[in-house]
Amino acid sequence: MTRYLLKRLGGALLVLLVLSVVIYALFYVAPGDPARLACGERCSPQQVAQVREQLKLTDPVWLQYAHFIQGIFAGRDYSTGTASLHCDAPCLGFSYQNQQQVTQLIMQRLPATASLAFGAMVVWLIIGVGTGLLSALRRGGITERTLTLLTLAGTSTPVFILGLLILMVVCAYLQWLPFPSYVPLTEDPEQWAWNMLLPWFTLGLFESAKYARLTRSSTLETLAEDHIRTFRAYGVGERAVVGKHALRGAVPPVIALNALDVGTVLGGAVLTESLFGIPGIGKTLIDAVKVIDLPVVVGVVLVIGTAVVVANVLADLLYAVADRRVVLQ
């Protein structure tokens, strides 16, 4: 297990290194003036020249990248025009347009995105896995056909359409809930939960469709295996066959997909955050792209990529715990 863990961590570090090179080259080496993009359209030529000097954009490309990596691991100094500011590690850059460190900006938005991601995860696991399991156990019946139709509808409906429908029905027509407005968990836990309810169900229902299909196919595949037939031949009860053996074979793919989805949503569920006005990482990325705030765009993209890589490592570990054959291979 230790060797397997070290191999996965080594692979993840290599991927993160390659990812940082690609992101830096894409945004800072591609044609254009990174100093102008970092400073903003309102900056004077003198301010742009100052930013170019601070980012050391006149150095060779490899040295520029080394300064970028140095900021992440050891911090970096920036000038705000009137004073020098030290950006502590991990320093993802300085937003000259917001006059704020990119790391601080992301950390301020991370709780909102984490609230959305983990709440929606609970919804899509309960609905998706439950629906998929029920479809597999009622194969060929009206229940399976109905659930298959619903999952197909869920898969084909864009998340913003689903969110609009939920808002119109729940808030405007039935008036069961007011239109949601994000409240931080630390300020009022009860209002936080009530206002996150619709975003959780919107994202959870959208994602649950693929979990239902994956769980159904995995369960049916496991139920058709020889050892399941052997258990049934020896008189083992259907509840024990499904609960102890069929589910065990169906869970690993769900674990892998869930970790990947959580990593992606942590990187920013852009449409859901924009639709419900949640001040998360996805909305931050959209706002930064609108005003071409290069350091924020680079920092958010790097965080999104890192979240997906870390989630994949966790998925591999959970997969190995659920199925020991993965480690042996």
Side-chain angles (χ1 to χ4, degrees), residues 106-129:
I106 292 174
M107 292 305 294
Q108 289 172 357
R109 306 299 177 91
L110 186 59
T113 300
S115 298
L116 175 63
F118 290 108
M121 181 192 73
V122 173
V123 174
W124 77 52
L125 283 179
I126 292 176
I127 296 178
V129 174

Side-chain angles (χ1 to χ4, degrees), residues 110 113-115 117-118 261-269 273 281 303-304 307:
L110 186 59
T113 300
S115 298
F118 290 108
D261 281 343
V262 170
T264 305
V265 175
L266 276 176
E273 289 182 1
I281 292 178
V303 167
I304 291 174

